[in-house]
């Protein structure tokens, strides 16, 4: 598969992740009487990854996330030459998804992106008021576990064809755990897309949602390389 097609697939897939996942949070989470709530938003994020894994997994690998690309690189599954282009494509897709969401959301009278646009935050901007340390630990650990699941589910020794289901359910579970803490990132591109439209504090806190997921992902790659090594006796 050509690099241009891989990058287009990553851009499209990340666009869908942000529009579907963040869109559910912005448009549907608290909709009067029939709001989908935390459970619905968590499921929406999982479904975006599951559907795109089946749609573009055979084209680009369906990373949709700079942390995933870093984790696969750290785990020896992804080349250094493709790392930066993938990340750029993912961020472009995330920003495009957030832009479409902004256009839709701003069609409602009184909409204010600064008042809530599914951005990630800590301290006063954590949904549950959790501290910087709590947010840091949450994002590192959740991304670490996400990559362990991805690396295991896509291992050639794992049952074939079921990886998208495991990965989608993993992302759903991660959101169920961590939405109250950080609004759940585990994805620097997702965080960047909506932060650009939320502005102000979301941009000033964005560093954490790049640093923590990438650290967690790289650690997972190292650990799974050891854990999954079948050459030891």
């Amino acid at each position: 598969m050509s690099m241009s097609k891989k990058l287009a697939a990553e851009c499209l897939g990340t666009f869908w992740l942000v529009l579907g996942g963040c869109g559910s949070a912005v448009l549907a989470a608290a909709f009067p009487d029939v709001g989908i709530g935390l459970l619905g938003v968590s499921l929406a994020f999982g479904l975006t990854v599951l559907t795109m894994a089946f749609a573009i997994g055979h084209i680009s690998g369906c990373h949709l996330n700079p942390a995933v690309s870093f984790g696969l690189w750290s785990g020896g599954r992804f080349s250094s030459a493709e790392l930066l282009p993938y990340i750029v494509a993912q961020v472009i897709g995330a920003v495009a998804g957030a832009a479409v969401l902004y256009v839709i959301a701003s069609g409602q009278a009184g909409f204010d992106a600064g008042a809530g646009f599914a951005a990630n935050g800590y301290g006063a901007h954590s949904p549950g008021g959790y501290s910087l340390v709590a947010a840091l630990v949450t994002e590192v650990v959740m991304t670490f576990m996400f990559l362990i699941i991805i690396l295991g589910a896509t291992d050639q020794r794992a049952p074939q064809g079921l990886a998208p289901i495991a990965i989608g359910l993993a992302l759903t579970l991660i959101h169920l755990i961590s939405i109250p803490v950080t609004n759940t990132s585990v994805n620097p591109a997702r965080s960047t897309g909506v932060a650009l439209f939320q502005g102000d504090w979301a941009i000033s806190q964005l560093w954490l949602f790049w640093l923590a997921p990438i650290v967690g992902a790289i650690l997972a790659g190292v650990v799974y390389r050891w854990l999954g090594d079948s050459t030891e006796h």
Side-chain angles (χ1 to χ4, degrees):
M1 192 66 63
S2 70
M3 177 60 82
S4 62
K5 290 183 178 180
K6 290 181 180 180
L7 297 181
E10 284 297 304
C11 185
L12 179 63
T14 314
F15 168 88
W16 181 234
L17 183 145
V18 171
L19 183 59
C22 296
S24 72
V26 172
L27 303 174
F31 191 75
D33 302 323
V34 292
I36 62 175
L38 186 152
L39 178 60
V41 173
S42 300
L43 184 59
F45 271 100
L47 288 173
T48 61
V49 170
L50 188 153
T51 52
M52 275 294 118
F54 281 116
I56 65 168
H58 54 286
I59 299 172
S60 68
C62 192
H63 298 190
L64 317 186
N65 181 342
V68 171
S69 296
F70 267 106
L72 293 173
W73 166 78
S74 175
R77 304 268 193 91
F78 191 58
S79 73
S80 300
E82 293 181 315
L83 189 56
L84 181 59
Y86 262 56
I87 291 171
V88 171
Q90 291 155 2
V91 171
I92 291 172
V95 173
V100 170
L101 177 57
Y102 181 85
V103 170
I104 295 169
S106 61
Q108 184 182 52
F111 171 73
D112 177 14
F117 199 59
N120 303 112
Y122 55 84
H125 303 293
S126 157
Y130 287 85
S131 68
L132 167 59
V133 172
L136 177 65
V137 171
T138 297
E139 290 292 327
V140 169
V141 173
M142 293 298 153
T143 313
F144 175 89
M145 293 307 303
F146 190 37
L147 264 295
I148 290 291
I149 293 164
I150 290 171
L151 288 161
T154 57
D155 194 306
Q156 291 182 348
R157 296 164 293 178
Q160 298 301 298
L162 299 178
I165 298 172
I167 294 166
L169 289 175
L171 191 60
T172 298
L173 176 57
I174 286 166
H175 278 78
L176 288 171
I177 297 166
S178 59
I179 284 178
V181 184
T182 63
N183 223 13
T184 310
S185 172
V186 302
N187 184 337
R190 167 260 191 270
S191 297
T192 300
V194 293
L196 294 179
F197 290 88
Q198 175 107 28
D200 193 23
W201 63 264
I203 293 176
S204 68
Q205 294 191 353
L206 185 59
W207 65 271
L208 177 71
F209 302 104
W210 275 87
L211 176 65
I214 289 173
V215 168
I218 291 174
L219 288 173
V222 172
V223 169
Y224 192 82
R225 265 188 152 173
W226 169 79
L227 188 65
D229 184 2
S230 61
T231 62
E232 294 182 2
H233 298 287

